[in-house]
Amino acid sequence: MPAFPNDRRALLRILAAAPVAALVAACGQGTPTFKGSDITGTHLGKDLSMIDQDGRPRTLADYAGKVKVVFFGYTHCPDVCPTSLAELAQVMQALGSDASRVQVIMITVDPERDTPEVLKQYVQTFNPAFVGLTGTPEQVKQAATSFKVYYAKVMAKDGADYSMDHSAAFYLLDGSGEARVLAGNGTDGEALVHDIKALLA
């Protein structure tokens, strides 16, 4: 049975409500307009306690003051994860001096193989400032639940190896740690730069 079916439905409800939230937000003065789905008020990601690529305990509060770009993946991912990291590396380059005010965070869904050392080598291949978070299976489950992220282990036919099925999206959190934007997989870099700059303004 896939993990977190209820969370998958919850994420769909968030996406369905996003246009309404954006419409309401548009009535306010000085409210940013996002290219991605406005998820302000969902409070996603509040319940996260993990270990970073240097073995240090981390919560999102450790990155207070920075816009955070969070996504879930794993180092053995054959396509979506490396493509996402390469795109985020280009986004950081496009941000110029503003990149120092942004923290990209990859949270693994495969703690069995993604040790801090493995994560560090992987994420910093794309950008030395990128952070990878891992932990116990319970910590990963807690983080995924907090973001309404779906993931599940998929065994190979021979039973000798496995891959991970997982949600693919970017979560943009503002400097105070509030979830503000959900950008689906395939969102172009220009849209991400726009939304990050809106949160930095």
Side-chain angles (χ1 to χ4, degrees):
M1 177 180 293
F4 309 133
N6 291 331
D7 291 339
R8 180 179 251 181
R9 287 195 292 269
L11 183 56
L12 290 174
R13 286 196 296 272
I14 290 168
L15 285 170
V20 177
L23 183 62
V24 173
C27 297
Q29 292 293 326
T31 303
T33 301
F34 302 122
K35 301 285 189 180
S37 297
D38 191 330
I39 56 172
T40 302
T42 59
H43 306 299
L44 296 179
K46 290 294 186 180
D47 194 17
L48 181 149
S49 178
M50 304 191 77
I51 302 297
D52 72 9
Q53 74 273 9
D54 293 312
R56 295 173 295 196
R58 289 291 191 184
T59 69
L60 290 181
D62 292 315
Y63 309 103
K66 290 189 174 186
V67 168
K68 292 157 281 292
V69 183
V70 178
F71 78 102
F72 287 73
Y74 67 114
T75 63
H76 284 70
C77 179
D79 41 35
V80 173
C81 304
T83 300
S84 296
L85 282 167
E87 180 178 12
L88 291 174
Q90 292 177 342
V91 166
M92 294 292 272
Q93 188 172 19
L95 286 168
S97 59
D98 282 335
S100 63
R101 301 165 59 201
V102 178
Q103 183 62 63
V104 171
I105 302 170
M106 173 179 158
I107 299 175
T108 186
V109 294
D110 185 16
E112 183 178 335
R113 294 182 293 197
D114 289 347
T115 63
E117 296 78 13
V118 169
L119 267 179
K120 183 173 186 175
Q121 182 176 4
Y122 185 73
V123 298
Q124 294 189 353
T125 296
F126 296 89
N127 186 304
F130 286 2
V131 166
L133 298 182
T134 187
T136 64
E138 291 75 21
Q139 286 175 308
V140 171
K141 180 179 179 179
Q142 179 177 318
T145 300
S146 186
F147 276 97
K148 307 299 183 188
V149 163
Y150 161 83
Y151 71 98
K153 180 183 285 190
V154 180
M155 297 303 300
K157 290 182 179 179
D158 60 8
D161 198 5
Y162 67 90
S163 61
M164 298 298 297
D165 187 14
H166 63 94
S167 304
F170 300 118
Y171 298 82
L172 273 57
L173 288 76
D174 63 23
S176 65
E178 291 295 329
R180 302 294 303 279
V181 181
L182 178 65
N185 178 248
T187 301
D188 64 75
E190 186 177 342
L192 288 171
V193 170
H194 173 277
D195 288 352
I196 290 170
K197 284 187 173 181
L199 292 176
L200 289 171

